[in-house]
């Protein structure tokens, strides 16, 4: 990867870091002990850190990601810290998988109190190297991967008249960054 390829990723990470700091600060101030939190894209990176922080704040945590091996590593690490964790392999761009995940989480814990739509995908390169499939993959994960979990969990939250939904994005949603066009 050239230095040109590193710069856009660094900008995206800085934006995500600023947002993450604000979210973690707010999280530490709320009393969410005993709540059930589902974090998408949580086998590593920011999603994993969020899941760990929710667990440290006393939540029972549901983590999901496409890679079952990475997901199991994350579950084991969280469990090693004493965090009650359910890991569910799920591609959030697939509505049927998302609905099954919400059903499984609800069957296991009885409800989902907090949904954090964090899953993301990033492709780095000049536009001439990108394909239509790159754009479709981005839309699948970052658009439908937010819509599907939200619509799946919303009915139970409405019935209880309680729940929180957090949508994570980055500066890339507001500022076009070179070589991150699908993002």
């Amino acid at each position: 990867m050239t230095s040109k390829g590193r710069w856009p990723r660094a900008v995206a990470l800085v934006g995500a870091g600023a947002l993450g700091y604000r979210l973690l600060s707010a999280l530490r101030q709320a009393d969410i002990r005993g709540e059930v939190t589902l974090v998408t894209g949580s086998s590593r990176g920011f999603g994993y850190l969020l899941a760990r922080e929710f667990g440290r704040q006393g939540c029972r945590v549901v983590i999901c990601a496409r890679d079952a091996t990475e997901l199991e590593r994350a579950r084991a690490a969280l469990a090693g810290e004493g965090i009650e964790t359910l890991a569910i392999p799920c591609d959030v761009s697939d509505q049927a998988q998302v609905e099954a995940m919400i059903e499984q989480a609800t069957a296991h814990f009885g409800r989902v109190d907090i949904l954090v739509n964090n899953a993301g995908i990033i492709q780095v390169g000049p536009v001439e190297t990108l394909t239509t499939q790159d754009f479709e993959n981005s839309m699948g994960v970052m658009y439908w991967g937010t819509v599907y979990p939200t619509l799946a969990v919303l009915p139970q939250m409405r019935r209880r008249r309680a729940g929180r939904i957090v949508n994570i994005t980055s500066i890339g949603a507001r500022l076009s960054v070179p070589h991150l066009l699908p993002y």
Side-chain angles (χ1 to χ4, degrees), residues 15-92:
L19 175 67
Y21 176 78
R22 288 195 317 204
L23 179 62
L24 289 174
S25 294
L27 176 59
R28 289 183 182 123
Q29 294 173 11
D31 184 7
I32 55 175
R33 287 176 297 214
E35 293 194 7
V36 177
T37 302
L38 189 158
V39 182
T40 67
S42 48
S43 63
R44 58 190 170 95
F46 188 56
Y48 173 79
L49 295 175
L50 285 173
R52 186 177 69 188
E53 187 61 29
F54 276 105
R56 288 177 176 177
Q57 295 300 316
C59 290
R60 294 171 288 165
V61 178
V62 180
I63 59 173
C64 80
R66 292 177 295 188
D67 186 313
T69 303
E70 282 188 12
L71 191 60
E72 176 52 29
R73 264 186 252 144
R75 187 210 57 77
L78 293 169
E81 290 191 38
I83 298 169
E84 188 176 354
T85 307
L86 173 64
I88 305 172
C90 180
D91 178 348
V92 294

Side-chain angles (χ1 to χ4, degrees), residues 34-36 60 62 84 86 102-113 153 156-157 159-160:
E35 293 194 7
V36 177
R60 294 171 288 165
V62 180
E84 188 176 354
L86 173 64
I102 297 296
E103 288 174 16
Q104 187 177 347
T106 303
H108 186 84
F109 287 122
R111 66 188 190 278
V112 175
D113 299 301
V153 78
Q156 65 173 270
M157 289 181 172
R159 276 192 303 278
R160 290 191 322 270

Side-chain angles (χ1 to χ4, degrees), residues 93-168:
S93 69
D94 182 317
Q95 186 175 13
Q97 286 187 43
V98 170
E99 289 172 356
M101 172 187 63
I102 297 296
E103 288 174 16
Q104 187 177 347
T106 303
H108 186 84
F109 287 122
R111 66 188 190 278
V112 175
D113 299 301
I114 303 168
L115 168 64
V116 180
N117 289 308
N118 171 72
I121 186 171
I122 194 165
Q123 302 97 339
V124 179
V127 70
E128 53 274 354
T129 66
L130 301 171
T131 66
T132 303
Q133 190 62 50
D134 292 324
F135 289 87
E136 289 175 3
N137 291 343
S138 288
M139 288 297 293
V141 173
M142 295 186 299
Y143 178 75
W144 293 112
T146 297
V147 172
Y148 294 151
T150 298
L151 293 178
V153 78
L154 204 51
Q156 65 173 270
M157 289 181 172
R158 283 185 165 160
R159 276 192 303 278
R160 290 191 322 270
R161 295 181 177 260
R164 297 179 179 113
I165 298 172
V166 179
N167 296 320
I168 303 294

